[in-house]
Amino acid sequence: MKADRISIGDIRIFLSAATYKNYTKAAKSLYTTQPTITKVIHHMEKELGVILFEKEGKGMHLTTQGLYLYEQYQPLLSEFDHIYDALHTKNTTIKIGILEGYDFENLLFEHLTTINKKHPELTLSINIYDLHELIEYSDDLDIVFMNTLEASSLNHYHFMEIDKIPYYLVVSRNHPLAKKNSVHLKDLAQEHHFILCQKETMSTLEFVKQTWDIVNLHPTFETVDNRLTLLMKVSQNSGVSLLPAYMIKGYEDKLTLIPLADFPSTIYRIMGINDLHSFSDRLVFLEDMRALLHI
């Protein structure tokens, strides 16, 4: 039996699944996903060489071996949590990474202050990163705030949607389209488009191409890996771009935002949770943040 390959996190998931007798409810209680629960249970069954659960109608129940493990693991996990809490009663640090450019500062900082006041034992280490930095530090972070376009760049995370990101056509003040109240994508087919796309991921470029494929139009694209460089190019009337309103910060007097009448895609701001990190204080933080963000 290779029980040393079963982590405390695996045991926590098993006990939750056994308590709720339902993977979806167990996932919700641990702020993770149902596929994560399924994967862990299959991993434990493989490592231990036993079946832990059997289906029973629409539900499930523990096997004899599963019940034995439940009785053994429950006091073990309680003792582990007691030791962990004793070691961290003075302070626990939750590391939070925020992707720049998506106005998370205005969305989050009041909520983070509220959580800190409610739980003074928590230290919230907050840093704003560009995409390259966020990917580089992602394994060490507990929580990230970013957008759905770049979510595939991070391993070992699952995500929760916060809100939809409205996209606009961004043009210079003297562009022929600048005086329009709204535009359709067909109005932009002949424009040269700048795409904010860092070298570490081509998710944004792929998303833009797929968006145009939906409407069967194929304008020219040029990728730019720096937000300010892109805004400078657009302000010089070298092309246009599709961006959220808060991405033009610092160039409001040089650029015009025009609503898109028929933008066929949806992008969200999201909260990402590192599945490699699991401790009780993080669950407290997540419960409060979800309530504040209404997610």
Side-chain angles (χ1 to χ4, degrees):
M1 182 180 294
K2 298 173 264 188
D4 58 316
R5 295 185 184 178
I6 295 175
S7 69
I8 290 292
D10 295 340
I11 293 172
R12 192 182 303 279
I13 284 175
F14 164 70
L15 291 177
S16 183
T19 299
Y20 288 99
K21 297 182 174 61
N22 182 287
Y23 286 178
T24 301
K25 291 180 180 179
K28 186 175 181 180
S29 74
L30 295 174
Y31 298 96
T32 187
T33 62
Q34 183 269 328
T36 298
I37 303 291
T38 302
K39 182 178 179 181
V40 167
I41 298 302
H42 286 169
H43 164 72
M44 291 182 65
E45 290 179 334
K46 182 178 178 181
E47 292 299 316
L48 294 168
V50 298
I51 300 298
L52 299 175
F53 293 96
E54 289 180 341
K55 290 185 178 180
E56 184 177 30
K58 294 184 178 180
M60 63 182 190
H61 66 270
L62 287 165
T63 63
T64 301
Q65 296 94 331
L67 181 60
Y68 173 77
L69 283 175
Y70 180 81
E71 293 171 347
Q72 299 301 311
Y73 279 154
Q74 199 168 37
L76 174 66
L77 184 63
S78 296
E79 182 63 20
F80 174 84
D81 285 342
H82 175 75
I83 293 170
Y84 184 93
D85 290 340
L87 289 172
H88 296 83
T89 47
K90 292 184 179 180
N91 206 307
T92 296
T93 299
I94 297 178
K95 298 178 180 178
I96 301 169
I98 299 173
L99 181 63
E100 68 172 356
Y102 285 86
D103 203 36
F104 279 116
E105 303 92 320
N106 292 329
L107 173 72
L108 295 176
F109 284 176
E110 183 178 343
H111 297 332
L112 293 171
T113 300
T114 299
I115 292 173
N116 238 164
K117 288 180 179 178
K118 184 178 178 181
H119 302 286
E121 74 280 5
L122 298 182
T123 296
L124 304 182
S125 175
I126 306 163
N127 288 285
I128 298 175
Y129 300 111
D130 64 25
L131 182 60
H132 170 79
E133 294 169 329
L134 191 68
I135 295 171
E136 181 180 356
Y137 300 128
S138 61
D139 284 351
D140 192 45
L141 296 171
D142 299 304
I143 309 292
V144 299
F145 292 91
M146 57 191 309
N147 65 74
T148 46
L149 286 180
E150 315 299 353
S152 61
S153 305
L154 302 190
N155 297 319
H156 313 301
Y157 276 81
H158 70 275
F159 298 93
M160 298 179 182
E161 294 175 355
I162 298 174
D163 57 11
K164 184 178 177 180
I165 303 174
Y167 266 64
Y168 297 84
L169 172 69
V170 181
V171 298
S172 69
R173 293 272 176 163
N174 59 357
H175 192 283
L177 293 173
K179 295 182 180 180
K180 283 185 170 288
N181 293 323
S182 67
V183 293
H184 292 81
L185 290 184
K186 65 180 178 60
D187 300 327
L188 313 178
Q190 302 304 315
E191 300 289 341
H192 183 67
H193 290 252
F194 293 113
I195 311 300
L196 185 61
C197 185
Q198 297 202 355
K199 298 173 183 176
E200 290 73 18
T201 173
M202 298 303 285
S203 302
T204 304
L205 180 60
E206 292 169 2
F207 165 79
V208 171
K209 288 182 176 179
Q210 289 170 5
T211 298
W212 285 99
D213 285 343
I214 292 172
V215 293
N216 198 29
L217 295 172
H218 307 284
T220 59
F221 302 118
E222 180 181 339
T223 60
V224 182
D225 65 1
N226 180 279
R227 181 180 70 90
L228 294 179
T229 301
L230 182 148
L231 296 179
M232 180 186 69
K233 287 176 177 286
V234 174
S235 69
Q236 293 173 343
N237 219 10
S238 301
V240 303
S241 189
L242 303 183
L243 295 170
Y246 27 76
M247 291 288 278
I248 72 164
K249 186 176 181 180
Y251 274 74
E252 294 91 341
D253 60 335
K254 298 180 178 65
L255 300 172
T256 298
L257 294 170
I258 307 172
L260 295 162
D262 57 348
F263 193 60
S265 301
T266 303
I267 307 166
Y268 290 89
R269 291 193 291 188
I270 54 177
M271 177 171 69
I273 301 153
N274 191 335
D275 292 325
L276 297 180
H277 302 178
S278 179
F279 48 87
S280 56
D281 292 313
R282 191 182 75 163
L283 296 180
V284 169
F285 171 85
L286 289 172
E287 183 175 342
D288 284 355
M289 183 57 77
R290 286 188 66 180
L292 290 167
L293 293 174
H294 305 291
I295 58 175

